[in-house]
Amino acid sequence: MKSRTSTFQDELSPEQTLACRPKPLPDELISSWLLRIALRNGMKPQSFCKLLWPNRSFWNHSIDRYASQDLLEDLSRCTATPLQTLQKHSLAAYKGILFADLIRNGNTPWVLPLGIFHRRFRRTGLSFCPECLATGEPYFRRRWRLSLATLCLIHKRPLLDGCSVCHEPLQPHRIDMGSKNPYTSAAVFRCSACSFDLRSARSSTLTDLWLWKSESASDQFLTATPCEAARAMEYFSVLRHLLFMLTSRRSRLTPFRTLAASAIPSPLVESWKKDDETSLGFDAMRIDVRRVFIGAAYWLLEDWPRRFLDLACAARLRGSDLTRDFPSMPTSFAVVAANLPARQNELVLHQVMVP
């Protein structure tokens, strides 16, 4: 008599349509959808993928970054889901909007690094909103894999980037890891390390909606149409360069950072961090630190370019200080940088207003 596992293996193939095949939910990550498919079929994600693709390595790299065309085609066939629909759920769909290309062997700008080592996440590369997980069917959004997403725009609360009990990164694919039984009744809202219900995690309430409004305005660029993609790419490249200037340890930018720290509005100024995480780069920072720095960048863009030039002039920056380390600098930013002197002793025509 065949075991349940061997019987299921005979019936399971990328060429066949699965009996239980939930459709992708709005803005759902490919990895989250694959996880729900496995759980809907009563199996652990790793066991499910090994049965379906015995010769493919899963979970030792980011599926959302490395979702190949043939994998998406397999998923399209066995779930009866249009291929074009699946492509919209991949991080590669942000190509031409957030980044020029999705880097396969290295870090991609704006994509949170997972720090995968032996299928474990060493970094907090997946954020979440407890209220979103508690509303309807729980799943993980694409937006939660982006470093610029620090708030839930629906519930107006800060996102979390780890379990509030054991403080481990979210690793949904490790549900029931260690159990020899390939079948599971686990749920995606459980912490894989301590089984804490992530829906009951506490997230603080925003005391000022200014940051929410700024992040909401920025988020509109993520859904840019092909005609709007170039403008979105320019916006995000300038935003990223401002974050570089705010977090860089270059001595020439220290006065600029100091002035920005004293000028940003409350409550951000109360949480301004020192240099403890700036060496990691913005994408690798913990979410509470990223929230402060991106809030400062939004504040600079709120009255662009006057506020930025005021600080740059007060910090005695030169035009070359603004354009250095900005190889893909858009013309609009070059025009702003031209307002600063090439040398410190040149006359600055721009009116300096120190906040």
Side-chain angles (χ1 to χ4, degrees):
M1 180 177 180
K2 286 188 177 182
S3 66
R4 183 184 177 189
T5 302
S6 61
T7 301
F8 192 33
Q9 186 172 11
D10 292 340
E11 299 174 351
L12 201 60
S13 166
E15 303 298 327
Q16 299 175 354
T17 304
L18 295 172
C20 298
R21 48 182 190 275
K23 297 303 180 183
L25 295 172
D27 198 44
E28 184 171 20
L29 284 164
I30 291 291
S31 60
S32 172
W33 180 53
L34 191 56
L35 172 66
R36 288 195 305 112
I37 294 174
L39 295 179
R40 190 69 65 87
N41 284 275
M43 299 195 69
K44 295 190 300 185
Q46 303 202 33
S47 302
F48 176 81
C49 291
K50 189 165 184 62
L51 284 177
L52 196 60
W53 295 281
N55 299 319
R56 185 190 294 271
S57 296
F58 272 88
W59 313 112
N60 58 353
H61 57 264
S62 174
I63 294 178
D64 300 303
R65 287 180 57 186
Y66 297 92
S68 60
Q69 184 71 11
D70 59 335
L71 171 61
L72 294 180
E73 289 174 355
D74 284 348
L75 286 170
S76 176
R77 279 193 298 270
C78 68
T79 62
T81 304
L83 180 60
Q84 289 183 339
T85 299
L86 298 189
Q87 291 171 336
K88 295 178 181 179
H89 289 264
S90 169
L91 291 177
Y94 289 126
K95 181 179 177 180
I97 295 176
L98 270 179
F99 40 74
D101 202 2
L102 192 63
I103 302 173
R104 303 185 70 85
N105 297 314
N107 294 326
T108 300
W110 299 117
V111 177
L112 292 170
L114 296 172
I116 299 176
F117 183 72
H118 289 299
R119 290 180 289 184
R120 289 180 178 271
F121 296 170
R122 295 180 297 175
R123 294 194 179 279
T124 51
L126 177 61
S127 308
F128 73 100
C129 168
E131 290 190 55
C132 285
L133 291 180
T135 305
E137 184 170 1
Y139 67 98
F140 296 97
R141 279 71 166 167
R142 268 193 323 156
R143 185 176 179 273
W144 295 349
R145 280 297 318 276
L146 303 179
S147 59
L148 54 81
T150 66
L151 305 174
C152 175
L153 302 181
I154 298 174
H155 299 105
K156 300 180 182 180
R157 291 180 178 272
L159 294 176
L160 305 178
D161 63 354
C163 177
S164 56
V165 174
C166 67
H167 308 294
E168 284 291 309
L170 267 61
Q171 305 181 77
H173 66 290
R174 295 185 64 82
I175 290 176
D176 275 5
M177 179 60 67
S179 170
K180 293 184 179 179
N181 187 350
Y183 301 96
T184 182
S185 59
V188 299
F189 53 77
R190 295 285 180 185
C191 171
S192 60
C194 68
S195 297
F196 173 68
D197 189 335
L198 299 172
R199 299 173 300 177
S200 59
R202 293 186 177 182
S203 178
S204 59
T205 303
L206 290 178
T207 57
D208 190 341
L209 290 181
W210 170 83
L211 182 58
W212 174 81
K213 292 177 182 177
S214 300
E215 190 160 315
S216 296
S218 177
D219 202 69
Q220 296 298 315
F221 286 99
L222 293 178
T223 57
T225 64
C227 295
E228 302 167 335
R231 183 167 175 261
M233 189 76 175
E234 179 177 333
Y235 169 82
F236 285 120
S237 65
V238 171
L239 177 62
R240 189 163 185 86
H241 190 63
L242 291 180
L243 288 167
F244 167 77
M245 295 182 66
L246 290 167
T247 59
S248 173
R249 292 193 172 192
R250 282 177 47 201
S251 58
R252 282 286 303 150
L253 296 177
T254 300
F256 179 81
R257 289 190 59 204
T258 303
L259 287 171
S262 63
I264 60 174
S266 179
L268 291 177
V269 67
E270 300 170 3
S271 305
W272 187 271
K273 303 294 181 179
K274 297 182 180 179
D275 292 338
D276 53 347
E277 290 199 28
T278 54
S279 61
L280 299 175
F282 178 76
D283 297 333
M285 294 177 181
R286 291 300 299 261
I287 196 167
D288 57 336
V289 183
R290 283 190 281 113
R291 188 177 300 117
V292 174
F293 283 118
I294 202 165
Y298 288 147
W299 180 80
L300 290 172
L301 288 172
E302 191 177 46
D303 186 14
W304 183 263
R306 186 192 65 83
R307 189 173 286 169
F308 172 73
L309 286 174
D310 287 344
L311 283 179
C313 289
R316 299 183 63 81
L317 294 183
R318 299 165 296 190
S320 59
D321 295 321
L322 269 60
T323 58
R324 182 180 177 184
D325 300 313
F326 199 178
S328 58
M329 177 178 55
T331 304
S332 59
F333 189 84
V335 172
V336 173
N339 282 271
L340 296 180
R343 294 181 295 274
Q344 289 185 7
N345 59 353
E346 286 187 357
L347 177 64
V348 181
L349 299 179
H350 178 76
Q351 181 182 3
V352 178
M353 297 172 61
V354 181

